[in-house]
Amino acid sequence: MKKRYLLSGVGAVGAGVAGFVLKDKDNRDKLKTSVKNTTSKIKNMNKESTLDDAGVPDQVENKEPSQLENSKMVSEGSQFGVNYYNEVKEEEKSTT
């Protein structure tokens, strides 16, 4: 029971500190900007590596089970991943 009160107290103090720090508009804007930048970097990092792996499934360095399965499907004649990769790259070229 004491743990519950302790955690509630810590949560209340944390909320108070966060409220005090974020009451200034400049601090809120800085926090929003940094969160947006970080999330977009993470999304783009994961998207690019997955897309590049789909475009050249038999030439990737990592040998994860999903990549080995993708390579196997391409060797059997599936071109879905390669076609998707080519379409996305063509779209990027046309927009820039």
Side-chain angles (χ1 to χ4, degrees):
M1 189 157 165
K2 290 182 181 181
K3 290 181 185 178
R4 182 173 64 181
Y5 291 132
L6 178 65
L7 292 177
S8 296
V10 170
V13 169
V17 169
F20 180 75
V21 170
L22 295 177
K23 74 178 182 179
D24 187 25
K25 184 166 175 40
D26 291 335
N27 289 343
R28 283 194 310 266
D29 291 340
K30 287 179 187 177
L31 179 65
K32 286 180 185 178
T33 304
S34 64
V35 168
K36 285 181 183 179
N37 289 341
T38 304
T39 55
S40 66
K41 285 179 185 178
I42 291 171
K43 287 179 183 177
N44 289 337
M45 180 179 62
N46 289 336
K47 180 182 175 185
E48 286 298 318
S49 67
T50 304
L51 181 64
D52 290 337
D53 288 350
V56 286
D58 58 340
Q59 300 172 9
V60 294
E61 295 166 359
N62 60 355
K63 299 295 183 187
E64 295 177 5
S66 61
Q67 277 306 112
L68 293 174
E69 186 67 27
N70 193 17
S71 296
K72 181 181 173 187
M73 287 190 304
V74 169
S75 69
E76 293 173 350
S78 173
Q79 291 295 307
F80 178 78
V82 177
N83 289 338
Y84 179 75
Y85 173 82
N86 291 338
E87 289 173 7
V88 170
K89 290 299 180 179
E90 284 296 319
E91 234 176 69
E92 287 177 0
K93 286 181 185 176
S94 66
T95 58
T96 57

